[in-house]
Amino acid sequence: MEFAELNPDLQQWIRGAVQRGQCQSQVMDALLKAGYQTSIARAVEQCMAGHTGPEASAPAASGYVKKPKGDSSAFRLFEPQRNLYDLGERQVEILLAMKQPNIVLFGNLLSDSECEALIEMSRERLKPSRLVNSESGSFDIGEARTSYGTYFDRGANPLIAGIESRIERLLGVPGNRGEPIQVLHYKTNTEYRPHFDFFPPDRPGNQGILAKGGQRVATLIMYLNNVEAGGSTVFPRISLDVLPKKGCGLFFSYANTAGDLDRQTLHGGSPVIAGEKWIATKWLRLGEFKVGDV
């Protein structure tokens, strides 16, 4: 397989790995774990040797609506301008859009194979989910959040890099403003009680986490499986329930550069009544979130 034959996202990931100083065996190990065949070794060799050909151009980005300079709402809004977004390798659908609060439900955001790969990559890494203690700044286990989870640094492997690139092109938000993708597993009778994803700046325990990239401004929840019963994402203040559907993504924003926080985005993961629930979550920050800050 030639390097030029690879899709642009995979080319970008391999180049990045080489630039970070990874040797050929490390790059190959990551590719094989992500499900690629040994035939990709030739493409890796070509990249290591510098024979990668012209830079591939990324597909045109996003329907993200850019506001005039100085408009403090510029970062927080995603206002769909059409029903289907062509991202090259995927056609992402708009299934629901709400302006106040700003909520958008995407269809066909992830493929079945991507969902299944994320689940399998995460099974052996899961640990009890924790909550930020807004008074002390510690990360505590509590009854409000009973899931298990893990996370993957930006560009951790080609699968993660490809999903992150798709999110960046769809939302128009720079990739360096994203926290690592977190995969969460909910068994039967587990839940995440209603909460805010932003960090109230007046609480002493939040100061450390706000120093790492600024305030959270938006959330993207990606549903990795179909749940037998329960497990919806519920917004109690606006009486909205979003049922989990494999491959769909739920985006909502709640903060802007002026420091305004939208408290209508109180939300939770309702108890799983039957079966299990897997999601992947991407949180976006106001500023650059450096890998390793999680």
Side-chain angles (χ1 to χ4, degrees):
M1 182 180 296
E2 303 294 321
F3 186 86
E5 297 173 350
L6 304 179
N7 70 57
D9 288 340
L10 183 54
Q11 290 181 1
Q12 182 179 355
W13 182 87
I14 295 175
R15 286 194 189 98
V18 173
Q19 291 168 1
R20 291 191 296 272
Q22 293 189 16
C23 66
Q24 184 171 335
S25 62
Q26 290 174 315
V27 176
M28 281 299 301
D29 183 58
L31 289 165
L32 294 174
K33 286 181 178 178
Y36 290 90
Q37 302 300 311
T38 55
S39 58
I40 203 171
R42 176 174 173 80
V44 174
E45 290 174 358
Q46 290 176 342
C47 186
M48 300 289 291
H51 302 304
T52 59
E55 292 287 328
S57 57
S62 141
Y64 178 70
V65 178
K66 294 186 181 297
K67 302 293 182 181
K69 189 174 182 180
D71 185 336
S72 64
S73 67
F75 190 89
R76 69 184 296 235
L77 297 179
F78 182 93
E79 297 175 338
Q81 301 298 300
R82 50 188 184 274
N83 298 337
L84 193 69
Y85 284 82
D86 186 353
L87 300 183
E89 81 284 5
R90 296 201 72 69
Q91 305 278 320
V92 177
E93 306 164 318
I94 305 297
L95 302 180
L96 175 149
M98 182 180 293
K99 291 184 178 180
Q100 189 65 36
N102 182 210
I103 299 174
V104 180
L105 180 62
F106 299 110
N108 199 40
L109 180 60
L110 299 180
S111 69
D112 284 355
S113 61
E114 287 172 330
C115 292
E116 291 153 12
L118 282 171
I119 292 173
E120 292 308 314
M121 284 167 47
S122 304
R123 286 190 187 277
E124 302 302 318
R125 299 165 51 114
L126 297 173
K127 296 180 180 179
S129 298
R130 295 177 179 268
L131 294 166
V132 179
N133 186 317
S134 61
E135 298 303 320
S136 67
S138 60
F139 292 83
D140 302 335
I141 296 175
E143 294 181 357
R145 190 184 192 192
T146 49
S147 61
Y148 283 71
T150 187
Y151 68 91
F152 297 91
D153 285 333
R154 290 200 302 267
N157 59 45
L159 174 64
I160 295 296
I163 293 172
E164 290 169 333
S165 174
R166 187 178 309 151
I167 293 170
E168 181 175 2
R169 284 177 281 137
L170 177 63
L171 300 181
V173 177
N176 63 9
R177 294 186 181 183
E179 295 182 31
I181 287 177
Q182 186 173 113
V183 176
L184 297 167
H185 180 220
Y186 292 83
K187 300 178 182 178
T188 304
N189 297 322
T190 62
E191 63 179 327
Y192 195 174
R193 295 174 188 169
H195 60 282
F196 297 110
D197 279 355
F198 57 75
F199 304 105
D202 58 337
R203 300 292 180 84
N206 289 336
Q207 300 312 304
I209 200 161
L210 285 170
K212 301 175 179 179
Q215 183 63 270
R216 277 183 182 165
V217 294
T219 296
L220 177 65
I221 299 172
M222 295 165 277
Y223 300 104
L224 305 183
N225 75 317
N226 296 316
V227 183
E228 289 183 47
S232 64
T233 303
V234 57
F235 294 81
R237 293 187 175 177
I238 58 173
S239 301
L240 176 65
D241 259 306
V242 179
L243 302 180
K245 181 172 175 58
K246 187 176 183 179
C248 288
L250 178 66
F251 170 87
F252 53 99
S253 63
Y254 36 78
N256 63 23
T257 55
D260 303 318
L261 301 173
D262 192 341
R263 296 182 178 274
Q264 290 191 92
T265 58
L266 182 76
H267 66 285
S270 66
V272 175
I273 298 171
E276 61 179 351
K277 171 185 171 183
W278 288 88
I279 61 172
T281 301
K282 184 77 169 177
W283 288 292
L284 304 175
R285 294 289 191 109
L286 186 60
E288 180 180 358
F289 187 91
K290 296 179 181 179
V291 174
D293 278 351
V294 76

